[in-house]
Amino acid sequence: MRDEEVRSMYFKYFQEEQLPFIQCGKCGHKFFYPRVVCPKCGSSDIKIGLSEGLGKIFAMTRIYKKDGSYVVYGIVEMNEGFRMYANIVEENGNTADIGKKVKVIFREINGKKYPLFAVT
Amino acid sequence: MIVGFSGKLYKKYEKDGIELLKEAIDEALEMAGLTYSDIDGIMANIGRGSFHGNKTYLNPPAQIGEYFGIKPKIIDHVQYGGPSVLAMIYRAYKAISAGDADTILCVQGGKISHIRDSNQFQKTDIIDSPFDDFIKVYDQMSPISDYAMVAYRHSKLFGTTDEQRALVAVMQRYNAINNQKAMFRDPITVKDVLASRIVSYPLHLLEIVYPIDGFHVFVVSKRTSKSALRNIDILAYGEAHWPNPPAEWDDIIYTPTIESAKRASFNLNRVDAFELYDSFTITVMLQMEDIGLVEKGKVGHFVESHDLTYKGDVPINTGGGSLNTGQPAYMSGGVILEEALLQLNNMANGHQVSDANVIFLNGIGWWSRRHTVTLVLGEKK
């Protein structure tokens, strides 16, 4: 697979509200950021999988704006074992914190859908 | 072999960046007793948009040479953020020892106040990571949010408190009170730090550096006879790079300093003062753990039970660090290196550590702590 193909497949999945990840066919390592080589063993035997979209918050911060409102930005660890950065949304009174469970949701950013996470 | 140095820091420099650089080079050469024609090597790391208007030089050492009429035997563009200038010193020593050059200019900084004040970077094709499209789309404010995440995770795992982080800012401010180059010199308390607004939870405004215009220039030369400085040597050196996105690291509470410090392998009992990269309070604390001064997770208690001022038992950032001088072109490496040289040459008026013979420096670079350099300076005896 070419690098550009992997990257466009990611965006295609995002539009379909699916969260892709990559599993190495040689060492089994799972990772999110799209590459055509495994960052652990260097193998080009890579396979795109789809996450169930469930995970937990590994790290986070609340970024305050001048008007006192804030956004939550963090690192989530998905049940499949890979980690990624994203904004985290607090809905229905659920408050984000390290260790709290999240599920993937999709929101439009600059005209394209991207994965965000909602506290469950 | 460091025969001259200079740091020129301005909240906002009115002329062009290249003129600011000339001020710094002139002062460093004067201290060294050398002239432009003596320079036969240039190493540089320059902030984006630093020279004329918003222009970024593609190859700063070559273009600095072009502008000042220097024809070097060697040039090197060392660019991995803040600690790059510490790496330049090592590379310059190696090059001079190998006979590749006699006098090397090491430069770091830039004029960035126009970028700071506009709150946005100039749009260019330069990318920070192959994954920018998947990371920078989100609402964030790296590097502040990046370090804030580390600070919060550190608190969650080890119980490190806001008050403990604030103590770092308070003790560094004490060190800055008599430093003529510090922009912030009024004493502060833990209460003041905690009362300042939270920018990215849990980091408060007084825990974060303020970006300024500034250049640091260090002249490394085998021609030491005209310089009044001590003959400083590199006692230990190590660098480490973890270029993967930190989200993919085993844990974000560690930095590559664990490896760079191990490579330097220096007995900390021999150290008279530490100059540790201080982009944020948590940055200093992470390094205190990762260089081996204190066990991982226990730095909170350590800062409560030790005096980190220049008069204290563990002097750290003896001039107040970049938290108080401001951070030139988003990179603090020159600030800690200049302070190390002031200490070693008994030139740190009002913040001098008595009998300072060995200074341990550690730098961390790029918005997500991917690059570290450990450098120990002193006279070889």
Side-chain angles (χ1 to χ4, degrees), chain B residues 63-377:
Chain B
Q63 286 145 351
I64 289 168
E66 181 180 7
Y67 189 88
F68 290 106
I70 301 162
K71 291 201 302 188
K73 291 178 186 156
I74 61 163
I75 59 172
D76 206 350
H77 181 200
V78 184
Q79 168 52 307
Y80 42 84
S84 305
V85 72
L86 307 183
M88 280 178 229
I89 296 298
Y90 177 74
R91 283 155 174 69
Y93 268 70
K94 293 285 245 192
I96 290 169
S97 303
D100 295 339
D102 289 342
T103 299
I104 299 176
L105 211 55
C106 298
V107 178
Q108 181 160 294
K111 182 192 168 182
I112 50 77
S113 51
H114 53 298
I115 297 167
R116 174 195 69 203
D117 296 342
S118 75
N119 276 327
Q120 59 181 31
F121 271 115
Q122 181 190 17
K123 290 244 184 276
T124 71
D125 288 337
I126 299 169
I127 59 171
D128 291 324
S129 147
F131 311 121
D132 275 4
D133 293 348
F134 299 88
I135 295 173
K136 289 203 176 165
V137 286
Y138 294 107
D139 210 341
Q140 52 159 314
M141 59 187 316
S142 65
I144 302 175
S145 54
D146 177 61
Y147 274 92
M149 277 198 283
V150 181
Y152 186 47
R153 189 166 164 78
H154 202 280
S155 298
K156 270 280 186 189
L157 292 180
F158 307 116
T160 314
T161 64
D162 289 357
E163 286 79 3
Q164 290 167 338
R165 281 199 327 277
L167 275 172
V168 173
V170 169
M171 290 192 266
Q172 286 198 198
R173 178 62 64 87
Y174 180 86
N175 289 341
I177 289 170
N178 294 316
N179 180 359
Q180 300 298 326
K181 287 201 177 168
M183 191 162 69
F184 304 112
R185 295 173 61 183
D186 295 332
I188 53 169
T189 63
V190 166
K191 212 169 147 192
D192 293 330
V193 178
L194 300 186
S196 66
R197 80 181 167 88
I198 293 177
V199 178
S200 188
Y201 182 83
L203 296 181
H204 300 76
L205 191 63
L206 289 181
E207 299 183 71
I208 299 171
V209 287
Y210 183 78
I212 57 165
D213 296 335
F215 273 104
H216 282 94
V217 171
F218 303 92
V219 183
V220 181
S221 177
K222 72 174 187 184
R223 296 180 191 171
T224 56
S225 57
K226 292 178 191 163
S227 170
L229 300 183
R230 279 169 86 176
N231 192 14
I232 300 303
D233 220 317
I234 292 173
L235 305 182
Y237 183 81
E239 61 184 85
H241 307 272
W242 294 355
N244 267 19
E248 296 184 346
W249 295 0
D250 290 342
D251 203 326
I252 57 170
I253 52 156
Y254 295 94
T255 73
T257 296
I258 286 197
E259 287 174 2
S260 63
K262 204 172 277 173
R263 277 167 203 153
S265 178
F266 195 80
N267 178 359
L268 298 186
N269 294 325
R270 287 181 56 203
V271 173
D272 297 313
F274 296 86
E275 308 299 339
L276 307 177
Y277 203 85
D278 65 331
S279 45
F280 306 92
T281 49
I282 186 68
T283 321
V284 180
M285 296 168 93
L286 292 172
Q287 290 165 100
M288 288 168 71
E289 292 177 339
D290 290 353
I291 65 173
L293 198 54
V294 56
E295 199 181 315
K296 179 59 75 184
K298 297 195 171 159
V299 69
H301 176 66
F302 188 91
V303 300
E304 282 174 337
S305 48
H306 290 275
D307 180 355
L308 310 184
T309 71
Y310 69 94
K311 292 175 176 170
D313 57 331
V314 188
I316 293 181
N317 294 339
T318 45
S322 59
L323 280 173
N324 294 303
T325 61
Q327 185 180 47
Y330 303 96
M331 299 181 289
S332 299
V335 173
I336 58 175
L337 181 53
E338 182 182 15
E339 176 64 19
L341 294 169
L342 291 173
Q343 289 293 340
L344 287 168
N345 289 289
N346 207 27
M347 291 162 70
N349 298 329
H351 51 103
Q352 180 68 47
V353 172
S354 63
D355 210 17
N357 293 306
V358 176
I359 308 289
F360 186 107
L361 297 106
N362 197 81
I364 296 193
W366 223 247
W367 59 267
S368 51
R369 316 171 301 286
R370 299 164 187 220
H371 310 283
T372 64
V373 175
T374 306
L375 172 70
V376 186
L377 296 177

Side-chain angles (χ1 to χ4, degrees), chain A residues 10 20-49 77-84, chain B residues 131 244-251:
Chain A
Y10 262 54
F21 69 96
I22 296 174
Q23 179 157 22
C24 173
K26 194 178 169 196
C27 76
H29 181 56
K30 291 171 188 164
F31 54 97
F32 175 71
Y33 292 104
R35 311 157 163 93
V36 293
V37 291
C38 169
K40 198 158 196 179
C41 75
S43 167
S44 298
D45 180 9
I46 55 148
K47 198 174 70 191
I48 298 186
E77 183 168 70
M78 304 309 288
N79 290 353
E80 289 83 4
F82 65 89
R83 284 194 216 128
M84 60 181 287
Chain B
F131 311 121
N244 267 19
E248 296 184 346
W249 295 0
D250 290 342
D251 203 326

Side-chain angles (χ1 to χ4, degrees), chain B residues 9-28:
Chain B
L9 310 179
Y10 296 85
K11 187 172 180 190
K12 190 179 174 78
Y13 186 75
E14 292 304 334
K15 294 183 273 183
D16 278 327
I18 197 80
E19 294 167 273
L20 173 54
L21 175 58
K22 183 171 189 306
E23 280 187 23
I25 297 177
D26 286 352
E27 189 175 85

